[in-house]
Amino acid sequence: MRGVGTVLALVVLATLVATFARRWRIPAPSLLVVAGLAVALLPGTPDIEISPEIIGLVVLPPLLYASAEELSWRELRAVWKPVGVLSIGLVLASAAAVGWVASQVTPLSWQMALVLGAVLASTDPVAVTALGRRLSLPPKVQVLVQAESLFNDATSLVLYRVAVSVAVASAAAGWGPAGGEFVVLAGGGTLIGAAVAAVVALIRRRTEDPVLETVIPLVTPYAAYVLAEGAHTSGVTSVVVVGVVLGGRVDRLTNARIRLQLHAVYGTVVFLLESVVFSLIGLALPAQVRALDDGDRAWPLYALAVAGTLIAVRLLWLAPLSAVVQRKGGIQRMNWRVPLVLTWAGTRGVVPLAAALSIPETTKAGAPLADRPLVLVLTTSVVVVTLVVQGFTLAPVVRRSGIALEPDHTEREEAAARCRLADAGIRRLDELAELEAVPDIVVDRLRRGLTARLDDARDRLNEDTGTSGSADLVYRQLRRDLIAVEAVELQRLYDDHAISDTTRRRLQRSLDLEEARLADV
């Protein structure tokens, strides 16, 4: 990329587009790709060349870590068998199908067609997580999609390394050692990730400094990635393992104040990196196309053929797998809605792009590696097609499938949980009151607060859905208005020197947290 100015301009553009995408409830990755393409096609826009080191080392680890942290251990254990089948079987089938189609319909040699198949064989965890955040999928379906995208990279990476070695050396494929290489990559990455997670957990339990508590999670994915790559294992697998292990234990590693701070800081980092990387995908495509030879001008047709192959193979693989799972669950009639949603959620993104950028430019003999520009264009094009077409239509597909959870379901589940929590608190308070271990005035104050929370949760459970929705909307709007009035009064007290700046900041933080909770409801 050309200079610091270009980087800053890219950050500003990506942030603006991502902000509008959230406001308009449009998938941010899809809109960012479109915006990047639009800017790249403007006259005078400089060519953007993406460094594989920037994508693979700077951008990928924290995004993978954030995606892995969102996985639930309980839900992951429930779907580990289908995840294993998809992470190995579907990746192999996709790579073989894409390689065969590319060798038939494109000018690529069979060696480079195999490289293309290996690059595009796995779904992308960054894109899948970013697209799926606003979808109300059932927990098992959501975890299945995310876990598949996180754990299928080891298989794809083994295929990629074997295919690239064949293309670079122009020798016979070394398929015999491929199984051993898979064990080294995936197993070694898993061991290193587990070791890093254990060390980080030990450090975080003994750290109470807010700054260090914020810095450690930011450094953790980079440490896991660099150590694994240095040991010639899978850095992607190492980061995923660290994220899954630490994500399930975050409540035991730090306190509520630090968790709020971490959520804000890491959310900002992920937002910026996702915004930049998805806009980069759109920005880079026109320059890659201009680098093609004249004989490769039919690349749009090639890209559509490859994208269609990936979707078809995914559907053909998921349909029987879903039928088997449903039959074991006692469902006699085949339900096509789940495999359809899973198929449409299998987007490609940052990981395939990083792999394609890492393809060597020359063979071992020193000659330029033929067809590398076309492989790079086809990879980026397929990523763009899946992010734009599937990204913009995924939400309607989920809604029409009927498998999405209704908002009322989530609200009632949360209200029921609030009832249980308040009940537990009241029971404990009664025990303390019987022991006379707490002053009566303190017990009465705590009981009033818990009773109010319990009554509010019960009202949410008992109210009619339509009435509850409108009443809740009015409540939130009025509470926001009251918070605004309180904020004005707080500022007046500070301006009149009635309170200190420390008190003002603490009270403003409390108001901010309440307003944020109202926005999340």
Side-chain angles (χ1 to χ4, degrees), residues 128 131-132 135 341 344-345 347 389-399:
V128 167
L131 289 172
L135 300 177
V341 170
W344 213 243
T347 54
V389 177
Q390 293 173 237
F392 278 121
T393 58
L394 182 58
V397 168
V398 172
R399 285 196 300 268

Side-chain angles (χ1 to χ4, degrees), residues 27 29-30 60 63-64 67 123-133 145-146 149 274 277-278 281 345-352 383 386-387 391 394:
S30 306
L60 198 55
L63 295 183
L64 286 172
S67 300
T123 55
D124 183 71
V126 179
V128 167
T129 303
L131 289 172
R133 285 195 184 105
V145 173
Q146 286 187 256
S149 64
E274 283 185 351
V277 75
F278 286 119
I281 292 172
T347 54
R348 269 64 181 173
V350 182
V351 174
V383 170
T386 58
L387 286 176
L394 182 58

Side-chain angles (χ1 to χ4, degrees), residues 176-195:
E181 187 171 1
F182 175 82
V183 172
V184 171
L185 287 171
T190 300
L191 291 176
I192 292 176

